[in-house]
Amino acid sequence: EAQVTQNPRYLITVTGKKLTVTCSQNMNHEYMSWYRQDPGLGLRQIYYSMNVEVTDKGDVPEGYKVSRKEKRNFPLILESPSPNQTSLYFCASRKNREMNTEAFFGQGTRLTVV
Amino acid sequence: AQSVSQHNHHVILSEAASLELGCNYSYGGTVNLFWYVQYPGQHLQLLLKYFSGDPLVKGIKGFEAEFIKSKFSFNLRKPSVQWSDTAEYFCAVSHMDTGRRALTFGSGTRLQVQP
């Protein structure tokens, strides 16, 4: 089954404690993204990757890091989480960078930073 | 600023009522348009998409949307909603943004269908 898998689904952490949210896709997609969803703001892109070892900033990259060492994995790293990073996070993948490609989303990770 | 606007933030309807959710975007040039649905506690799923051709596109579960280029709009419609349509609906636009090929989302419309 084609899918995007995120872990964990729920995470509560304390300010400053480094964390990683994993994302894996099994569709051999080139393009992967991370979004955060906040009430009234929709989804905003944090980082994206057009292929292995190619990553770049989205609309709200501050406080986040990513890596793309393998095609299927695109982890999101919060080196020093802060309360304003409390949000719902979605990983998404697309076949490639072409505009007419559908995005597939993971189940989401609800992060609370206290 | 370039954006995607969904003017209805919260819509409450009774079952069998007709639905129209507005979506406007401000990007010039070529765009591709999507509607995604997010059921409570779940991830986003594609409802329908427009790339080219017939501006009236049909999606899953009886939804349709019309692309009106002159109005920069891509409104979502359904003739008769059901309780199971209760969800949040997001309009999204894929566009050329300095090569990022970004997918930009509207702020979402929460639809509540009352039995």
Side-chain angles (χ1 to χ4, degrees):
Chain A
E1 180 189 355
Q3 60 185 5
V4 179
T5 304
Q6 289 177 234
N7 279 297
R9 293 288 309 279
Y10 301 92
L11 180 58
I12 301 174
T13 191
V14 296
T15 299
K17 185 176 181 182
K18 181 180 179 179
L19 66 91
T20 300
V21 183
T22 63
C23 173
S24 180
Q25 50 93 5
N26 63 0
M27 295 169 278
N28 200 37
H29 284 175
E30 292 180 354
Y31 191 109
M32 297 185 74
S33 299
W34 275 102
Y35 291 87
R36 61 177 289 172
Q37 182 182 9
D38 301 290
L41 297 177
L43 280 81
R44 294 176 292 168
Q45 191 183 57
I46 302 170
Y47 267 92
Y48 68 100
S49 169
M50 290 199 189
N51 215 323
V52 177
E53 301 291 2
V54 181
T55 64
D56 210 342
K57 298 176 181 178
D59 296 310
V60 287
E62 293 77 21
Y64 304 95
K65 284 175 55 177
V66 293
S67 69
R68 188 90 181 274
K69 294 184 170 57
E70 308 163 280
K71 201 170 189 178
R72 64 183 294 124
N73 296 324
F74 190 47
L76 179 69
I77 302 155
L78 284 72
E79 294 270 3
S80 183
S82 62
N84 65 9
Q85 292 178 297
T86 292
S87 187
L88 179 58
Y89 292 85
F90 287 101
C91 179
S93 74
R94 286 159 49 186
K95 183 178 180 181
N96 52 46
R97 60 184 287 181
E98 296 304 315
M99 295 195 308
N100 61 349
T101 53
E102 171 190 346
F104 293 82
F105 287 84
Q107 295 277 62
T109 296
R110 186 167 292 281
L111 172 65
T112 302
V113 183
V114 297
Chain B
Q2 295 178 325
S3 65
V4 180
S5 299
Q6 292 182 243
H7 304 293
N8 313 103
H9 298 296
H10 190 192
V11 173
I12 302 174
L13 295 173
S14 298
E15 277 193 309
S18 64
L19 170 71
E20 180 160 3
L21 301 182
C23 173
N24 288 90
Y25 62 94
S26 62
Y27 300 98
T30 302
V31 293
N32 293 299
L33 301 156
F34 305 82
W35 275 98
Y36 282 87
V37 60
Q38 185 179 30
Y39 298 104
Q42 296 195 21
H43 64 292
L44 279 80
Q45 303 169 43
L46 183 68
L47 209 49
L48 48 78
K49 59 192 176 187
Y50 173 79
F51 294 156
S52 64
D54 188 344
L56 183 63
V57 293
K58 296 191 183 302
I60 60 173
K61 303 185 181 186
F63 286 91
E64 65 179 31
E66 185 175 14
F67 171 50
I68 303 179
K69 190 174 182 179
S70 61
K71 294 185 177 181
F72 295 85
S73 70
F74 189 56
N75 292 354
L76 180 71
R77 300 194 291 246
K78 186 171 184 179
S80 176
V81 295
Q82 301 172 322
W83 178 79
S84 58
D85 293 324
T86 294
E88 190 154 18
Y89 293 80
F90 292 93
C91 179
V93 175
S94 178
H95 56 91
M96 298 278 288
D97 177 11
T98 61
R100 183 154 62 103
R101 307 295 198 273
L103 184 63
T104 300
F105 287 84
S107 57
T109 297
R110 186 175 301 278
L111 172 65
Q112 185 178 341
V113 180
Q114 297 176 332

